[in-house]
């Protein structure tokens, strides 16, 4: 089973320019000044699983070599013509809609369809806010394991703010917010005052917009009521005028 074998995770966006090929496929000794024979990530993970995050960040030329490696299960080290047969599984992720990436030329369509044997779409955090309590608890437990400063959780008010916030930075932002709040927290429970300013600022803006919307709705309701009152007054006045005319008063 691969679950008992090597697992390696690589963020493709973090690979310095020009080093992707040597990092993934390895190098032959002497291919450039000071280079030594070095296995790449594919060789290191032989028999196991390689996770390529933000695969859409790779250059087109590297994507072509990645496609060939996936199809043949063979690689060439940089500067070498010797084929190395390997056994590996590749799991890949993009941080953008893959179909939009193909339209914009960020990812090869043939590579995407080669990788898409099994596709799992994970919605952004703003679309699955029911996961926020579980993720918050997970990140607090992770913090407690790594730090001597222990926390029991977040207050109900903080959790309400988390559910209102749009989380443009997704799950990573939630993790960083909890870690940042833990630094400033004065008790075992994270409070509103411990949150980064932009979270509470966003909440203030939302509350202000909500108040302005309620105020506008109230003014509109008052206008409609006044209009209805005037119309009723005019209607009753006309009815009285007609009635008086009919009875000759």
């Amino acid at each position: 089973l691969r679950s008992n074998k090597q697992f390696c995770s690589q963020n493709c966006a973090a690979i310095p320019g020009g080093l992707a090929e040597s990092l993934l496929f390895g190098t032959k000794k002497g291919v450039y000044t000071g280079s030594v024979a070095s296995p790449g990530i594919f060789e290191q993970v032989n028999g196991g699983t390689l996770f390529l995050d933000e695969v859409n960040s790779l250059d087109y030329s590297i994507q072509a070599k990645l496609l060939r490696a996936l199809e043949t299960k063979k690689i060439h080290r940089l500067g070498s013509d010797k084929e190395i047969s390997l056994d590996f599984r590749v799991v890949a992720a993009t941080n953008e809609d893959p179909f939009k990436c193909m339209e914009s030329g960020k990812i090869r369509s043939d590579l995407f369809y080669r990788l898409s044997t099994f596709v799992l779409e994970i919605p952004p955090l703003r679309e699955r806010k029911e996961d926020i309590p579980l993720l918050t608890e997970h990140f607090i437990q992770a913090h407690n394991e790594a730090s001597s400063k222990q926390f029991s959780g977040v207050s109900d008010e903080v959790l309400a703010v988390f559910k209102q916030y749009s989380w443009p930075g997704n799950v990573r932002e939630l993790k960083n917010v909890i870690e940042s709040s833990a630094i400033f927290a004065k008790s075992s429970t994270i409070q509103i005052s411990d949150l980064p300013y932009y979270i509470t600022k966003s909440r203030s803006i939302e509350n202000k917009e909500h108040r302005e919307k309620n105020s506008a709705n109230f003014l509109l309701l008052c206008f409609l009521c006044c209009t209805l009152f005037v119309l009723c007054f005019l209607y009753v006045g006309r009815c009285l005028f007609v009635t008086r005319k009919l009875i000759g008063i």
Side-chain angles (χ1 to χ4, degrees), residues 218-233:
F218 177 74
L219 291 174
L220 178 61
L221 180 62
C222 290
F223 173 76
L224 292 175
C225 289
C226 291
T227 303
L228 182 61
F229 176 78
V230 170
L231 291 175
C232 289
F233 180 79

Side-chain angles (χ1 to χ4, degrees), residues 152-163:
S152 59
V154 301
S155 68
D156 292 339
E157 190 178 12
V158 168
L159 195 57
V161 170
F162 282 176
K163 290 182 178 180

Side-chain angles (χ1 to χ4, degrees), residues 42-114:
F42 275 98
E43 288 183 69
Q44 296 173 25
V45 82
N46 188 27
T49 302
L50 171 61
F51 174 55
L52 295 175
D53 194 11
E54 299 187 37
V55 70
N56 51 301
S57 300
L58 290 174
D59 289 339
Y60 243 51
S61 60
I62 303 301
Q63 290 185 30
K65 294 180 179 180
L66 175 59
L67 175 62
R68 185 180 183 281
L70 291 170
E71 290 177 340
T72 64
K73 297 289 184 179
K74 296 178 181 178
I75 66 162
H76 290 87
R77 288 188 180 183
L78 180 63
S80 172
D81 57 1
K82 179 183 177 182
E83 279 192 336
I84 303 174
S85 297
L86 300 172
D87 175 31
F88 55 81
R89 173 186 291 152
V90 170
V91 179
T94 64
N95 61 340
E96 301 177 52
D97 185 323
F99 294 99
K100 291 182 179 179
C101 287
M102 285 189 286
E103 291 176 1
S104 62
K106 291 183 179 180
I107 188 170
R108 295 173 58 107
S109 58
D110 48 4
L111 175 61
F112 170 74
Y113 292 117
R114 183 65 183 81

Side-chain angles (χ1 to χ4, degrees), residues 9-41:
S9 175
Q10 176 62 51
N11 188 321
C12 299
I15 302 176
L19 296 182
E21 184 175 1
S22 59
L23 180 65
L24 292 173
F25 304 109
T27 56
K28 178 184 177 182
K29 183 178 180 180
V31 68
Y32 55 82
T33 304
S35 67
V36 296
S38 174
I41 293 177

Side-chain angles (χ1 to χ4, degrees), residues 38 54 87 94 105 119 144 202 240 243 246:
S38 174
E54 299 187 37
D87 175 31
T94 64
V119 178
N144 289 343
S202 173
L240 290 173
T243 303
L246 288 175

Side-chain angles (χ1 to χ4, degrees), residues 45-217:
V45 82
N46 188 27
T49 302
L50 171 61
F51 174 55
L52 295 175
D53 194 11
E54 299 187 37
V55 70
N56 51 301
S57 300
L58 290 174
D59 289 339
Y60 243 51
S61 60
I62 303 301
Q63 290 185 30
K65 294 180 179 180
L66 175 59
L67 175 62
R68 185 180 183 281
L70 291 170
E71 290 177 340
T72 64
K73 297 289 184 179
K74 296 178 181 178
I75 66 162
H76 290 87
R77 288 188 180 183
L78 180 63
S80 172
D81 57 1
K82 179 183 177 182
E83 279 192 336
I84 303 174
S85 297
L86 300 172
D87 175 31
F88 55 81
R89 173 186 291 152
V90 170
V91 179
T94 64
N95 61 340
E96 301 177 52
D97 185 323
F99 294 99
K100 291 182 179 179
C101 287
M102 285 189 286
E103 291 176 1
S104 62
K106 291 183 179 180
I107 188 170
R108 295 173 58 107
S109 58
D110 48 4
L111 175 61
F112 170 74
Y113 292 117
R114 183 65 183 81
L115 288 169
S116 60
T117 304
F118 178 79
V119 178
L120 180 63
E121 181 181 359
I122 303 178
L125 187 56
R126 62 180 176 272
E127 295 179 9
R128 50 188 178 98
K129 293 189 175 181
E130 66 277 5
D131 290 347
I132 288 178
L134 293 174
L135 289 169
T136 299
E137 182 180 354
H138 168 73
F139 290 137
I140 287 178
Q141 288 179 354
H143 177 274
N144 289 343
E145 292 174 1
S147 173
S148 59
K149 193 175 182 181
Q150 303 294 295
F151 292 93
S152 59
V154 301
S155 68
D156 292 339
E157 190 178 12
V158 168
L159 195 57
V161 170
F162 282 176
K163 290 182 178 180
Q164 291 174 2
Y165 186 60
S166 59
W167 298 109
N170 220 338
V171 177
R172 186 181 288 112
E173 183 182 7
L174 175 60
K175 178 177 182 292
N176 290 338
V177 165
I178 291 174
E179 291 179 350
S180 173
S181 302
I183 296 173
F184 297 100
K186 298 178 179 61
S187 67
S188 61
T189 302
I190 295 175
Q191 306 291 337
I192 286 288
S193 58
D194 304 322
L195 297 178
Y197 79 94
Y198 66 89
I199 300 288
T200 53
K201 180 180 179 181
S202 173
R203 184 191 182 211
S204 298
I205 292 173
E206 290 176 357
N207 289 340
K208 181 180 178 182
E209 291 175 348
H210 182 69
R211 289 195 300 270
E212 290 176 350
K213 184 178 180 180
N214 286 344
S215 178
N217 289 339

